[in-house]
Amino acid sequence: MTDDKSIIERIDDLVAEEKELRNKHAAGQISDADEHARLKAVEVELDQCWDLLRQRRARREFGENPDDAKPRSADTVEGYLN
């Protein structure tokens, strides 16, 4: 992901996948365990995408190069407090 547009497109794809997983689960097409495992992975990647987008926007706001923003690890973004 190299720019805001591609990050937003990835977020849209992940949200669509999350919705599809929930629909498949509701229709009995996937198990609880399969849904849970994939949803967890999707949620973590979503958090990473949102974090990267926020980093890019903050850098831009303060006159820095948004391309210097780097994706953070799952452990880092999942460790943030709400």
Side-chain angles (χ1 to χ4, degrees):
M1 291 179 280
T2 58
D3 60 15
D4 292 6
K5 185 177 187 244
S6 65
I7 296 168
I8 292 168
E9 287 172 353
R10 182 63 184 146
I11 289 169
D12 290 343
D13 291 345
L14 290 165
V15 169
E17 182 178 355
E18 184 178 41
K19 187 174 185 177
E20 181 181 347
L21 283 166
R22 293 185 190 282
N23 288 338
K24 284 182 176 182
H25 181 259
Q29 296 173 338
I30 59 174
S31 70
D32 289 345
D34 289 343
E35 180 204 31
H36 180 74
R38 185 58 195 147
L39 279 176
K40 179 62 179 163
V42 167
E43 289 168 1
V44 168
E45 189 174 348
L46 272 170
D47 289 344
Q48 289 175 303
C49 288
W50 280 116
D51 177 70
L52 181 57
L53 189 59
R54 282 190 293 273
Q55 284 184 65
R56 290 180 56 81
R57 289 175 175 169
R59 287 181 174 278
R60 193 175 293 112
E61 180 180 344
F62 291 98
E64 297 176 15
N65 184 351
D67 294 335
D68 289 341
K70 302 289 183 229
R72 294 183 178 139
S73 71
D75 289 339
T76 298
V77 299
E78 292 305 297
Y80 293 152
L81 298 175
N82 290 328

